[in-house]
Amino acid sequence: FSYAVLSINTYSFAGGWQEPTRITQFIIEGSAAGERIYVQFETDFNPDSCTGNGTEWKRIYGDTEKGKYLLSTVLSAKAAGQTVVPLLYGCDDWGRPVLTGLWVQ
């Protein structure tokens, strides 16, 4: 018998996993709670058609446990120049896309 393995690339291009890219810059702003962290990628994703100013900035809620993990991952990936695959869902209160996950390759 012979078996074939089929690999299907399942990147979603709307409200989900995006295509591989790199982090170009990030900003930590807001109050001392660190609730506003924004990241920019080489590719400008806006899968949920957010309409605020600066949609090239993807929001991380830095005042959550998950946000802290995401910030740590962003810092590491940026420093190493690694390729990442962003997971984006929804828009924040300023109308910018929200980064909800990050796959580091």
Side-chain angles (χ1 to χ4, degrees):
F1 295 152
S2 71
Y3 295 94
V5 176
L6 178 62
S7 175
I8 300 174
N9 190 347
T10 58
Y11 294 116
S12 169
F13 293 97
W17 291 104
Q18 304 303 301
E19 64 187 60
T21 189
R22 291 194 196 292
I23 296 165
T24 56
Q25 56 185 325
F26 57 90
I27 270 182
I28 301 169
E29 61 181 15
S31 73
E35 74 278 6
R36 289 198 183 273
I37 298 170
Y38 289 97
V39 180
Q40 261 188 13
F41 300 100
E42 286 179 349
T43 307
D44 184 15
F45 308 107
N46 189 1
D48 292 315
S49 301
C50 298
T51 58
N53 289 330
T55 57
E56 68 275 10
W57 291 100
K58 312 314 175 210
R59 170 88 178 263
I60 295 174
Y61 291 96
D63 56 347
T64 66
E65 283 300 311
K66 184 176 184 178
K68 292 172 188 173
Y69 291 126
L70 280 170
L71 175 58
S72 177
T73 305
V74 164
L75 293 169
S76 298
K78 174 66 174 150
Q82 290 178 289
T83 300
V84 297
V85 178
L87 177 62
L88 299 170
Y89 277 113
C91 308
D92 74 355
D93 57 327
W94 288 3
R96 296 175 179 172
V98 178
L99 182 68
T100 59
L102 195 64
W103 173 10
V104 180
Q105 298 186 325

